[in-house]
Amino acid sequence: MVFYLPYPFQTSSYILAALWIILTNISEVPSAFGTIISGACTPKAVEGGFIGVLIKTVRRPVFSSEAGIR
């Protein structure tokens, strides 16, 4: 049997935990944003985004019918 917390309590605990982690590591936040921005502007990121769009584009028509890929 799996125990599930009520949604408002679970949501509040996740938000408080996330805030606690961010606030205890507040000195690392600017460098984290810098890493995200610099990593998003690389050729490898563009390649990954392009492949993701291709996969999404192919999945939509393939799984829109009952036949799919056989």
Side-chain angles (χ1 to χ4, degrees), residues 54-65:
L54 284 178
I55 291 171
K56 189 75 169 173
T57 304
V58 169
R59 286 182 67 192
R60 184 174 294 152
V62 167
F63 294 112
S64 66
S65 67

Side-chain angles (χ1 to χ4, degrees), residues 7-40:
Y7 290 119
F9 179 74
Q10 189 173 5
T11 304
S12 300
S13 64
Y14 286 166
I15 291 172
L16 289 173
L19 287 174
W20 175 258
I21 291 168
I22 290 170
L23 291 175
T24 56
N25 296 301
I26 196 72
S27 63
E28 299 297 322
V29 172
S31 64
F33 277 115
T35 302
I36 291 169
I37 299 300
S38 65

